Amino acid sequence: MSSWLKKWEPENPQFWKEEGSGRAWGTLSVTTFSLIASFATWFVMSAVVVRLPQIGFKFDTMQLFWLAAMPGLSGGAMRTVHAFLIPIFGTRMTATVATFIKLIPMVWLGLAVQNPETPYMHFLIISFLCGFGGGDFSSFMPSSSLFFPKRLQGTAMGLQAGIGNLGVSITQFVAPWIIGFAVIGAAGTPQLFTTATPVFDVKITKEAGVVKDVVVKGKLAEAMTVVKNEAGAVQDVIIAETGATKGMKTEVKKNEAGVVTDLTVKKIVKKDIWLQNATLWYVPYLIIAGIICWIYLKRVPTKKPSIGQLVKDMTDNKHGYSMTWIYIMTFGSFSGFAATFPLMIKIIYGNIPGADAALAPDPLKYAYLGPLVGSVIRFAGGPLSDKWGGSIFTMVSGGGIIVGCVALIFGGFLTPTSLDQFPMFVWIMLWLFLMAGVGNFSTFRQFPIAYAYSPRMGAQILGWTGAWAAYGPFIFSSLMGSSISKYGSAVPFFAGVAAFCFIGSLLNWWYHTKPGAERGDWGTGKTWWDRISESERQRYISQNP
């Protein structure tokens, strides 16, 4: 079975109508089906990591952030490799192998979560291997761009990226549901999921670091007895078992002299979960997707350049660098926020001093909303960028992210004093996802136009910039974790994001948006390529075979 197409001329109207359109949209459908799993498996650790402490794993806050960060580090590295694969191996081989190889981290993670004694290093390695999914974007997208004429690239790329990005929402939406029951007996044994929330009807009074009094309010007063010694110092709280006190436990901390320095009454809730289901359900999906890729996909006939030439094409001109910065601003923000959103909810709004921890939001009930918003606008906005150009929407994206960061910082939503601030925090985060999604659909149109003289380079720039932007989860998770650990809040981190986006917006204005910009994109028939003479076009083409 040959993997080569004998002829491919998407810019030829007759060829496109008779043969090209069906093959192009079919290829887009198959690779997008696989790309959904790519994004889902890339971000599966962000959904799993928030449950690990409650099933017996003793990982601290920074260790959890590192697990969320590692797929971004490996995803960026994998994308650097994937950016060169299509010209060398073609669509069928690349997509098929990339789909099957993701079975390794999914099966391994499904086994690892079942044993609380699994070493942290194992999780780091698995988390790194989850980056296989992140790498696919930089080969799948360039491959698809080769199949479509320039006038449809914004629409096609927006559809593929937007629908593919839904994988992030899928993994964060499905995880809390599917771990609640046994899918198949062979999937393994359940884990005991334990939550311990302070009972706020019990108030303690401290003086000089020593507990002096305990006051029990409401119905619990009749079921709890405060034990004091002869000197009147609090020693313990005895809980009589009733319907109201079921599952409650007293935790007492004493100093070396035996004096009580802290006392907390907590309600303990235990239930079985099957955390392995969050990863193992991808196994049949990946097998089916891999088989379809091998059967249907074909390779576009292109000249096979050397790896040295491929690297040179991206690094010997200023536009490769500026577009990389811009794409980190857009997709880097999307992927980074997607990876950190669950942990942000857990750490920022799950540990508010004086707040009832029992009312703290469940991260996985909200985490999927952000990627969903960013993904939907990503595929819905593709036709808009084809009509009016990508560069103006990229300006909107950069400015919108800056506004969102400023709102979080000066609105106090990163240093909350009440759970009443949580709804607005979520709305601002959804705004950030929306703005990042706008920048994602706009750049898919904008970047290939910058290299309009070379379809190969236009495809490659998507993979190249995507590779660097894929470090977003690693950069965001590690820097946000450091910001919270060192400074006590994520304010410094979001200030840095705003500054980065300001520079990215300036680059986009100068090279792509302002009147007469060097590589401007103002819509179909209004690009920099349309405005230069035929002789200039031939010069560009001849210099970049």
Side-chain angles (χ1 to χ4, degrees), residues 197-203 214-226 237-250 264-267 356:
T197 56
V199 177
F200 283 87
D201 282 340
V202 179
K203 304 293 183 182
V214 177
V215 178
V216 183
K217 299 180 180 179
K219 297 180 179 179
L220 298 180
E222 300 177 357
M224 295 187 182
T225 304
V226 180
V237 173
I238 304 299
I239 304 173
E241 187 170 345
T242 67
T245 62
K246 185 178 181 180
M248 290 187 183
K249 177 182 178 182
T250 303
T264 307
V265 177
K266 293 183 176 181
K267 185 173 181 61
D356 188 344

Side-chain angles (χ1 to χ4, degrees), residues 112-304:
V113 298
Q114 297 181 57
N115 181 7
E117 300 301 319
T118 301
Y120 179 70
M121 183 56 66
H122 285 208
F123 279 97
L124 275 180
I125 295 172
I126 295 168
S127 187
F128 185 87
L129 294 180
C130 286
F132 282 144
D136 296 348
F137 185 88
S138 284
S139 57
F140 284 35
M141 292 294 289
S143 167
S144 296
S145 72
L146 292 174
F147 281 85
F148 285 88
K150 293 182 182 66
R151 63 184 174 84
L152 290 175
Q153 288 199 354
T155 300
M157 299 301 96
L159 280 171
Q160 178 159 60
I163 295 173
N165 280 174
L166 286 175
V168 183
S169 287
I170 288 172
T171 199
Q172 293 175 342
F173 177 78
V174 171
W177 166 73
I178 202 170
I179 64 176
F181 54 90
V183 178
I184 53 174
T189 57
Q191 302 85 51
L192 188 62
F193 180 76
T194 305
T195 57
T197 56
V199 177
F200 283 87
D201 282 340
V202 179
K203 304 293 183 182
I204 68 170
T205 301
K206 286 186 179 183
E207 291 182 10
V210 176
V211 176
K212 289 297 185 181
D213 195 15
V214 177
V215 178
V216 183
K217 299 180 180 179
K219 297 180 179 179
L220 298 180
E222 300 177 357
M224 295 187 182
T225 304
V226 180
V227 180
K228 297 183 179 181
N229 60 19
E230 295 179 356
V234 175
Q235 294 293 294
D236 201 352
V237 173
I238 304 299
I239 304 173
E241 187 170 345
T242 67
T245 62
K246 185 178 181 180
M248 290 187 183
K249 177 182 178 182
T250 303
E251 292 185 0
V252 179
K253 293 183 180 179
K254 299 181 179 181
N255 60 19
E256 294 179 356
V259 178
V260 177
T261 58
D262 197 12
L263 185 149
T264 307
V265 177
K266 293 183 176 181
K267 185 173 181 61
I268 311 299
V269 177
K270 298 182 179 183
K271 63 178 181 179
D272 285 339
I273 66 170
W274 288 259
L275 193 56
Q276 65 270 26
N277 291 353
T279 70
L280 295 181
W281 81 274
Y282 294 112
V283 171
Y285 188 112
L286 290 168
I287 292 173
I288 293 171
I291 292 173
I292 295 174
C293 285
W294 180 256
I295 293 173
Y296 183 83
L297 297 180
K298 298 292 184 180
R299 179 175 182 176
V300 172
T302 57
K303 180 180 179 181
K304 184 184 292 186

Side-chain angles (χ1 to χ4, degrees), residues 344-359:
M344 285 179 66
I345 296 173
K346 180 179 179 64
I347 292 172
I348 296 176
Y349 282 87
N351 297 285
I352 300 176
D356 188 344
L359 301 177

